[in-house]
Amino acid sequence: MNFYILFFIYIATIVITRIFLYFFHVHALKIGKFQMHHYMYGLILIILYFLTSQPILMVIGVGLIVDQIPLFFIFKGFSWPDDCWKQYHSKQSILIVIIIS
């Protein structure tokens, strides 16, 4: 697959995820105290990439992970409040995603 197409899919993954979560503050599946965040779905897609060698799975997975990395820096670890939408959509978070990208 062409690099530019893959990069577009990566950017589209981040933009679509951000737009969706801006309008729909949806919390991930929660089992007890364990909550699935979209970076975890990204990790699953990356594992599937290694099993299938489909680059689109890697690109979407990396997009989901990079989109949520800023929260690790903002909250300094894995302990995030249930209402982290303000920080997720902050200028700081968006800037970190742009720098990583």
Side-chain angles (χ1 to χ4, degrees):
M1 224 181 222
N2 187 331
F3 169 78
Y4 296 107
I5 293 171
L6 292 175
F7 187 70
F8 174 77
I9 293 170
Y10 164 78
I11 296 298
T13 300
I14 294 171
V15 170
I16 291 168
T17 302
R18 293 243 167 199
I19 290 171
F20 179 81
L21 291 175
Y22 180 80
F23 288 107
F24 305 102
H25 292 239
V26 181
H27 286 286
L29 177 65
K30 197 170 192 177
I31 302 169
K33 292 190 176 214
F34 179 75
Q35 186 171 11
M36 287 284 289
H37 291 277
H38 58 271
Y39 77 88
M40 293 175 188
Y41 294 111
L43 291 172
I44 292 169
L45 288 174
I46 290 172
I47 291 168
L48 288 175
Y49 161 75
F50 285 112
L51 297 174
T52 64
S53 296
Q54 296 295 321
I56 195 165
L57 296 175
M58 173 70 89
V59 170
I60 293 172
V62 170
L64 290 171
I65 291 169
V66 167
D67 182 55
Q68 211 158 25
I69 283 177
L71 293 180
F72 289 104
F73 293 111
I74 292 169
F75 295 114
K76 296 177 179 46
F78 289 94
S79 181
W80 303 343
D82 284 337
D83 190 20
C84 62
W85 301 111
K86 182 178 177 184
Q87 293 86 354
Y88 176 74
H89 295 294
S90 69
K91 290 178 186 176
Q92 177 187 15
S93 175
I94 294 169
L95 183 61
I96 291 171
V97 169
I98 290 170
I99 289 170
I100 291 172
S101 295

